[in-house]
Amino acid sequence: VETFGRTGNNLIEFLHALELAQNEGMTVGILMDSWVVPLLTTMWMAIQNNDMVGWKDLMERTFCVKMLSHDDLPHYTNIIHMETRDLFMYKTR
């Protein structure tokens, strides 16, 4: 998925995804190879000592999200994919 705009927009898109999920009673799932991971690890939430398990746990607890690999996807039946442009434009109700 290509991101919409620059880093500031990408951060807004991530925060809007969290807000949308809260408003709709959903959980945000983040693929480990998505644009979100480098966005967050370069700004803050750095991976310490190459501890990916600890980092994933911290991300899930901090943001109430589920960190996923492509192998995890078949275990979920109700996945909603959204374009980053739509997340950027999202307005809460």
Side-chain angles (χ1 to χ4, degrees):
V1 173
E2 290 190 28
T3 57
F4 177 68
R6 297 178 186 218
T7 301
N9 288 359
N10 299 152
L11 186 56
I12 290 169
E13 293 156 2
F14 174 65
L15 295 174
H16 281 180
L18 298 177
E19 184 177 20
L20 173 66
Q22 181 184 20
N23 290 344
E24 301 296 327
M26 298 182 287
T27 300
V28 172
I30 300 173
L31 286 171
M32 289 299 296
D33 63 352
S34 74
W35 58 269
V36 176
V37 174
L39 172 75
L40 295 178
T41 57
T42 57
M43 298 179 91
W44 68 91
M45 302 297 288
I47 300 167
Q48 300 293 317
N49 302 317
N50 290 324
D51 180 11
M52 289 304 295
V53 173
W55 182 84
K56 284 172 59 174
D57 183 55
L58 178 63
M59 285 290 295
E60 290 178 349
R61 285 184 289 119
T62 302
F63 293 110
C64 298
V65 299
K66 184 69 180 159
M67 300 302 296
L68 304 167
S69 70
H70 288 279
D71 293 338
D72 295 324
L73 293 180
H75 301 286
Y76 296 90
T77 57
N78 192 14
I79 297 173
I80 299 170
H81 297 275
M82 292 190 70
E83 295 294 325
T84 56
R85 177 184 287 270
D86 296 331
L87 290 170
F88 181 77
M89 300 298 182
Y90 176 74
K91 301 260 191 262
T92 195
R93 41 182 157 125

